[in-house]
């Protein structure tokens, strides 16, 4: 998995931040913080997981399906670029 | 926050399972597991966070805004029940 | 439904624009436009339906459940304001 | 766009049903139906648009990027199949 090695440290750092966000929700619940505050923390956790999903999907398309930058078939290259753009729109 | 006390142990257990899912993604990346497997783990993490969001929003409506079961104004009670139903549909 | 009357013309105009977007997707398919173009039109249709959902949910909370601006109970008013904020975040 | 021709009648029929759903929301607003009913109609419109997005994305991957059934490279074929599965999960 060449791409995993290359992106690994960045992705693992991102996962650690997400773990930190999960722990922040746990702490907020344990300390009986307001429900509104907990909801906001969960909303931003959800955004972070959504962002990670979009990045991983894009990586997957580029490294395992079709890389728009290096694909020799121009139709496939364009279709993969369009796919990445739509995936970003849906998961942003 | 009466409702937090009541639901606290269940919600904290749920957060711990979500933390376990985040750690599973981290491990899968560290062990260079296939990209498809990582994507599936992130998809189920996303589903779990979505489910938690829906439950917390429903709790928030019931305990802090309007509880459809105990609200004396029938219009408000019905509107709160409809709201909970729609929130469930959107976040399922 | 007081609020429906008040917001009706704006909401109906919004629905008409959404109908126009559905028709644009139909036309793009009938004219055999590129799949990438069709995907983009559907992505923006989806965004428009999402935006309409958020607005209607907010209207529903304000006019039928609890209006944060006019609610005499300050706890309920704050909880309703938090709810509206979270709904916007989730459906943006 | 070979695939557009093949799937065209089915997709256009699907768009027409979606247009019918938009018109049903318009009518419900014009007839001052309850806000809860309008919200439910919009939620099912949103589900239909989401379903159309998932189908079009899958079509796009199969016909323009990589078709898992006919792709000679087994790594690409598997990656495309995983991609389709994840897209379905995210947009269901």
């Amino acid at each position: 998995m060449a791409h995993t090695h290359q992106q690994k440290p960045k992705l693992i750092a991102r996962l650690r931040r997400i773990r930190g966000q999960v722990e922040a929700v746990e702490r907020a619940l344990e300390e009986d913080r307001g429900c509104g505050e907990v909801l906001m923390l969960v909303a931003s956790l959800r955004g972070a997981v959504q962002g990670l999903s979009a990045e991983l999907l894009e990586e997957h398309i580029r490294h395992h399906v079709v890389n728009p930058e290096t694909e020799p078939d121009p139709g496939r290259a364009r279709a993969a670029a369009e796919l990445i753009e739509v995936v970003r729109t849906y998961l942003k």
Side-chain angles (χ1 to χ4, degrees), chain A:
Chain A
M1 292 293 127
H3 92 93
T4 313
H5 286 302
Q6 189 195 333
Q7 301 286 332
K8 225 167 101 167
K10 258 180 69 180
L11 284 170
I12 287 175
R14 199 162 178 168
L15 258 306
R16 276 192 196 136
R17 282 196 301 277
I18 289 176
R19 178 146 52 93
Q21 289 182 272
V22 176
E23 287 160 358
V25 181
E26 271 183 71
R27 261 197 317 279
L29 283 169
E30 268 159 3
E31 296 167 1
D32 293 328
R33 308 286 266 282
C35 196
E37 193 182 331
V38 174
L39 277 172
M40 286 303 161
L41 289 171
V42 174
S44 80
L45 166 63
R46 182 178 170 270
V49 172
Q50 200 95 319
L52 175 72
S53 307
E55 189 171 311
L56 283 172
L57 262 177
E58 186 172 336
E59 287 293 307
H60 182 74
I61 297 167
R62 271 185 209 290
H63 296 276
H64 301 300
V65 185
V66 169
N67 187 336
E69 271 91 56
T70 56
E71 171 63 37
D73 175 335
R76 268 192 163 180
R78 209 191 52 184
E82 289 165 345
L83 176 63
I84 289 169
E85 203 181 330
V86 172
V87 162
R88 275 190 204 146
T89 309
Y90 279 115
L91 290 178
K92 72 145 186 270

